[in-house]
Amino acid sequence: MAKDALLDDLNAQQREAVLHCDGPLLVLAGAGSGKTRMITRKYAYLAKKKKIPLNSIFAVTFTNKAAQEMKERIAPFVDHDTKNLWLGTFHSQCARILRREIGILGYKGDFTVYDDDDQNSLIRHILRELNIYEALYKGVVSRISILKSHIISPEEFLAKGDGFSFDEKLGRAYLKYQHELKRCNALDFDDLIMLAVKLFEENPKILKKYAHGFSYLLVDEFQDTNRAQYRLMQLLASDHHCISVVGDDDQSIYYFRGADVGNILNFERDFPKAKIIKLEQNYRSTQKILDVSGCVIARNENRRGKKLWTDRGRGDAVTYSHLPNEEEEAKQLARTIKDLYLKGRFEYNDIAVLYRINLQARAVEDALREERIPYQVISGISFYQRREIKDVVSYMRLISNLEDNVSLRRIINSPPRGIGASTIGKIEQEAKKQGASMFRAMKSMLKAQNLAASFKEKISEFVSLIESLTRTQYKTAADMLKDVVEKSEYLNDLEEDRIQNILELVSSAESVQPRDFLDRAALASASDSVNAAKSVSLLTLHSAKGLEFPAVFIVGLEEGILPYFKAMDVPREVEEERRLFYVGMTRAKDQLFLSSVRRRRLYSKIQEQEPSRFLKDIPREHCNWIERNIERTGAASIAAKPVPMQPKSLYIVGCRVKHPSWGIGVVRDCSGEGDDTKITVNFPGVGLKRLAVKLANLERI
DNA sequence: CGAATTGAGTTTTTT
DNA sequence: ACTCAATTCG
């Protein structure tokens, strides 16, 4: 019975992938091929049939959200609480291991996790100290991140030293950065992976404990792993080689942050007896969508090659429009969306608009607002990155780790306490002299004789604030937060919406232990609101990964946008841009609309645009081509052409009607004339109804 | 120390 | 065009 539920609704390849448990396995899972279903079933199968204890399965996902979803889908199959499974992102799994084992590397188990923001401010601080031009910090941060994802320590990097000036500076900054992190008892995201690898490589006994303890390993979104993550899995698999990795080389779109498609392309080299299974049946899209996207991705050199198919039928044609400018593009898009909605085939939340760069959302937003179409922009800024949230979280971090100088610097003067750069400078000097944390230095400075009273007063106030907060043992993070907010008077003079955010944070912290809460704040993001409201989703091609929508629009298919101009001349990056386009197209279930424009305003310059090179790979017969030329025809004819004729009827699209039994509804579509008029009406709570006006006894309101 | 003005840069983003 | 951050002035 359990077996039936586990395997029955899987296709042959999915089943084979679930059943292959005795050696390395690489599953090449095409877009929409039921990958998540297969993985969750495999997890359940290992536990139920292979009798592997749940805490001996080590499973990695790409995001926390994916981990959460997987837990929910596993729950029905296992009679066990899924909360504490070894199932999470690389970062959270590594953090969990390091909390226990990091002592041997000279850190403390109560380390703080630094996010991007903290990383940036620490690097900038270091560049200032080393007299390196501070504006270079972005490059430095990303180079360091790449070094870490390749498991190259500062010492190794300096030793290799080509000695050229920038690399030499970079090396010194990296060395100091690692030193400062340690001094703050903090790890950045890349450290979590790198130090876990280091831990295992330098301590065979510990490795043995974990490699043996985890008797099966599962990795999802394998195409997005970086070298350090791959190395970690190799180490954990060194004992038994029971590892399944699942991914799609065609959907690798994170090279820019260290993901290495090589991991998927070379898996067999490192695991010679690996079994390879391709999942090629697509359950998401129509054949026409698969044809079009397949033609585009087929042109990439570096891929393993898959041929997706579906039994969903041909479906509607893919539409491509070439338009005069981005305003026209957005207008037409808004009209088409309205049309789809009024015809009753799609709700607004069935529809997504995808673009390469966030600023493209602007024109689309304007047009949707104009047409009164509800929409939501899914943007990258997460809740935890907002200033007020980071501030109060920094208080909590400082309280739980007094060595955290980065958090201290962040909050020492917010809310304003009259402690400015010069005061902070003095504290830093003193801390350096003593080889202690800044907080400790502040305390000792209070005892010194030679300092101004006003200076001491300000310092003393801050020190006693923090000390009063450290005295309490907080049961929950919410208690701690409330106390922080109250004693620091953080809410004074704060804008109302920011206060609301903080209240939201407090309520999310109820019944969470402070330590867990801080880890979550660092390792969590908040992009799970897609499809929540009944509105059109606007998002980048990157953030569309893993999602699906009945109708998808991809805008701005032009040279310079997709492929983006910075990637245009680098073949490897052009391949990634092509994959990005592919990911976008394969999000669509039923309808796909592509568009490009002739002229576009980008950073205040008006540019003549060429259609994207990727469009040339779509055979004309696969797709509806609509070109609208503005040059000679003029504006009037353009407005007239695409708007469908409105039947001259009592009932027009958008008006409200009353039906004797279904109540009040909104007319979404209208066809025929006179006595033959038929309308589609959406009655809330009842659904869509197609009615002949003559027979239906309707009343117009 | 804090507010106002001037100036450079401008993808994609999860942890 | 617009944002974010650094510099300058009160």
Side-chain angles (χ1 to χ4, degrees), chain A residues 244-310:
Chain A
S244 290
V245 301
V246 185
D248 182 0
D249 46 328
D250 290 333
Q251 292 188 68
S252 168
I253 53 174
Y254 285 108
Y255 171 73
F256 71 91
R257 61 180 213 222
D260 188 352
V261 208
N263 290 345
I264 214 166
L265 299 173
N266 304 325
F267 186 74
E268 297 147 283
R269 188 195 55 203
D270 298 313
F271 294 94
K273 288 185 206 120
K275 170 132 187 129
I276 295 174
I277 296 174
K278 290 184 182 181
L279 303 185
E280 295 178 300
Q281 179 174 6
N282 174 293
Y283 294 93
R284 179 184 295 150
S285 310
T286 63
Q287 189 62 49
K288 286 196 176 162
I289 291 170
L290 293 184
D291 286 345
V292 170
S293 55
C295 291
V296 173
I297 198 64
R299 302 293 172 121
N300 261 1
E301 294 287 326
N302 286 307
R303 66 188 291 256
R304 285 195 171 243
K306 284 185 293 313
K307 182 82 184 134
L308 296 190
W309 61 277
T310 181

Side-chain angles (χ1 to χ4, degrees), chain A residues 62 73-75 145 200 227 236 284 287 296 304 464 546 634:
Chain A
F62 189 59
R73 289 177 67 164
I74 287 168
S145 175
F200 288 145
R227 202 177 291 181
L236 287 175
R284 179 184 295 150
Q287 189 62 49
V296 173
R304 285 195 171 243
S464 40

Side-chain angles (χ1 to χ4, degrees), chain A residues 42 47 125 157 273 350 367 432 462 514 558 663 676 689:
Chain A
K42 177 142 197 170
H125 183 248
F157 181 70
K273 288 185 206 120
D350 289 333
K432 196 180 272 180
F462 181 76
E558 300 132 38
D676 290 332
K689 294 288 171 188

Side-chain angles (χ1 to χ4, degrees), chain A residues 37-88:
Chain A
R37 158 172 296 201
M38 177 243 119
I39 280 207
T40 45
R41 295 306 168 78
K42 177 142 197 170
Y43 196 108
Y45 180 82
L46 290 166
K48 293 294 264 193
K49 294 287 161 184
K50 291 280 171 174
K51 304 290 178 212
I52 297 180
L54 283 173
N55 55 10
S56 293
I57 305 172
F58 185 86
V60 190
T61 57
F62 189 59
T63 63
N64 288 304
K65 192 183 158 199
Q68 193 50 46
E69 275 168 17
M70 223 172 121
K71 284 181 181 177
E72 279 161 23
R73 289 177 67 164
I74 287 168
F77 294 102
V78 299
D79 19 65
H80 194 275
D81 185 12
T82 55
K83 205 172 131 201
N84 291 317
L85 298 181
W86 280 97
L87 194 175

Side-chain angles (χ1 to χ4, degrees), chain A residues 381-450:
Chain A
I381 307 140
S382 96
F383 183 72
Y384 289 102
Q385 281 170 358
R386 292 177 195 182
R387 195 180 73 211
E388 64 278 14
I389 301 298
K390 276 232 68 176
D391 281 351
V392 292
V393 169
S394 292
Y395 273 98
M396 294 177 69
R397 296 206 303 202
L398 179 61
I399 295 159
S400 32
N401 173 18
L402 291 172
E403 287 155 281
D404 184 348
N405 294 340
V406 172
S407 292
L408 183 140
R409 267 187 229 115
R410 183 177 179 103
I411 56 165
I412 193 166
N413 202 33
S414 54
R417 302 185 174 83
I419 303 179
S422 64
T423 311
I424 296 173
K426 277 181 208 152
I427 297 167
E428 251 153 21
Q429 274 187 341
E430 183 62 24
K432 196 180 272 180
K433 210 167 77 191
Q434 298 181 10
S437 69
M438 288 171 68
F439 188 74
R440 186 172 285 274
M442 286 171 81
K443 277 172 75 172
S444 70
M445 284 166 97
L446 286 174
K447 297 195 196 89
Q449 305 295 314
N450 54 345

